[in-house]
């Protein structure tokens, strides 16, 4: 059975577990530490997720946990894959009167990647992500989720000169966000890509239609402080590249990562001052083993970049496997850390966020789990 068949089977089983993603997350409550997520933030997240079909849990989803604040809160994200029950939910719902602006854009991207001949499909395949920021305001208003696209493999590797492919990603986000084309913004994105060295790649490009216009772009596969600083200088990042290099060198001494990601805010006026420095402890994105993350967690604690209680909860809770039962049979729930990101502005490091993923897999006859997911 293929990976797509595993996903399809899980999608069909999930409605026997819960009525919505919010209902499913409520059922998962025993597997989420109260130090990580609780109180009003939990209820706001469940309310937000209740608008999403439970079938979305057939694909990787997760929470973004701020490790520098005492409040137990998080943001929330899901994956969408074309030709799925979840994709059809978005495509068929675009004409509803209460449809959010980004939902129509999401449906359009799904339509576009359904076409085998489209440039966008060649660049990103059929996968995208939605990120929901959970507000703790007294009277929060619903906002459109962020839309993120993931260039596949080495399509946008440095030195390849695939500016047309990068343009297809940019155009898709601009259209989905309801924005007007901006030649200056596109030029800045091209410049960021042109500065990328070989063997490094643009891995993630996204935008939040409800927020101030910016194209969040992540380049990955950096291994040393020297190459990080060199790229920041070539790309024209306005911050202190040497301060970033010092941070990378510190964590490199503790052997805390196998590669790094750099997230930029791209605007028509250039790169924004904030840099996201992401740590990946393994080549695989879907790793439930906590051991490889302990050097990073300990180094963050030594540098006092996060609250000890939050770090302890992340280390104790954010990995493992459980089984949820339904009329359709058992479903395996896997959780682990996807990556950890630090924000850097000037020479100030923080905040620090941990990104925890969940995978749900229906069992096949004679099989305990169905493996899936790769970098």
């Amino acid at each position: 059975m293929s990976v797509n068949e595993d996903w399809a089977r899980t999608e069909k089983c999930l409605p026997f577990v819960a009525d919505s993603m919010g209902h499913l997350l409520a059922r998962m409550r025993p597997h989420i530490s109260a130090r990580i997520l609780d109180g009003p933030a939990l209820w706001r997240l469940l309310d937000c997720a209740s608008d999403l079909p439970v079938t979305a849990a057939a694909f990787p989803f997760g929470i973004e946990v701020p490790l520098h604040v005492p409040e137990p809160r998080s943001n929330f994200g899901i994956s969408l894959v074309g030709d799925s029950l979840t994709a059809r939910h978005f495509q068929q719902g675009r004409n509803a009167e209460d449809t959010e602006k980004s939902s129509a854009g999401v449906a359009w991207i799904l339509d576009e990647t359904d076409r085998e001949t489209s440039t966008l499909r060649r660049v990103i395949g059929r996968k995208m992500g939605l990120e929901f920021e959970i507000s703790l305001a007294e009277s929060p208003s619903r906002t459109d989720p962020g839309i993120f696209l993931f260039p596949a493999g080495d399509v946008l590797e440095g030195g390849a000169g695939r500016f047309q492919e990068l343009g297809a990603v940019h155009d898709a986000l601009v259209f989905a966000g309801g924005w007007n084309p901006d030649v200056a913004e596109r030029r800045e994105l091209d410049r960021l890509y042109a500065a990328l060295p070989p063997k490094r790649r643009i891995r993630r490009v996204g935008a939040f239609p409800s927020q101030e216009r910016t194209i969040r772009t992540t380049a990955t596969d950096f291994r040393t402080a020297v190459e990080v600083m060199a790229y920041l200088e070539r790309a024209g990042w306005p911050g202190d590249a040497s301060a970033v290099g010092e941070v990378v060198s510190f964590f490199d001494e503790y052997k805390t990562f196998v590669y790094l990601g750099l997230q930029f805010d791209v605007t028509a006026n250039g790169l924004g001052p904030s840099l996201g420095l992401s740590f990946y402890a393994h080549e695989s994105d879907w790793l439930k083993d906590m051991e490889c993350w302990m050097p990073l967690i300990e180094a963050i604690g030594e540098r006092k970049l996060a609250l000890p209680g939050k770090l302890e909860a992340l280390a104790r809770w954010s990995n493992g496997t459980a089984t949820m039962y339904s009329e359709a049979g058992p479903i395996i729930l896997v959780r682990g850390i996807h990556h950890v990101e630090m924000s850097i502005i000037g020479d100030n490091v923080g905040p620090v966020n941990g990104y925890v993923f969940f995978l749900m897999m229906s069992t096949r006859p004679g099989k305990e789990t169905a493996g899936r997911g790769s970098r």
Side-chain angles (χ1 to χ4, degrees), residues 294-363:
M294 291 311 298
L296 177 61
I297 289 174
E298 291 169 0
I300 290 174
E302 179 168 332
R303 189 130 178 165
K304 295 181 172 56
L305 296 175
L307 298 177
K310 281 288 190 79
L311 282 176
E312 179 186 0
L314 188 72
R316 294 183 59 185
W317 166 81
S318 299
N319 72 299
T321 304
T323 303
M324 302 182 73
Y325 294 94
S326 73
E327 295 178 11
I331 296 181
I332 306 301
L333 170 65
V334 179
R335 63 187 188 275
I337 297 176
H338 184 270
H339 68 281
V340 175
E341 182 178 285
M342 301 174 189
S343 294
I344 301 176
I345 300 180
D347 59 358
N348 295 319
V349 182
V352 179
N353 295 313
Y355 290 76
V356 178
F357 73 83
F358 300 95
L359 296 175
M360 299 197 75
M361 298 167 281
S362 63
T363 59

Side-chain angles (χ1 to χ4, degrees), residues 18 27 33 41 47 50 63 67 74 89 109 138 141 165 179 191 197 204 239 278 284 293 301 326 357 362:
R27 287 202 60 188
S33 168
D47 181 55
S50 293
I63 57 177
L67 301 174
S74 74
H89 169 88
I109 292 174
E138 185 174 340
S141 58
E165 287 81 354
W179 297 331
R191 190 161 71 91
R204 185 172 179 265
S278 296
S284 171
W293 288 105
S326 73
F357 73 83
S362 63

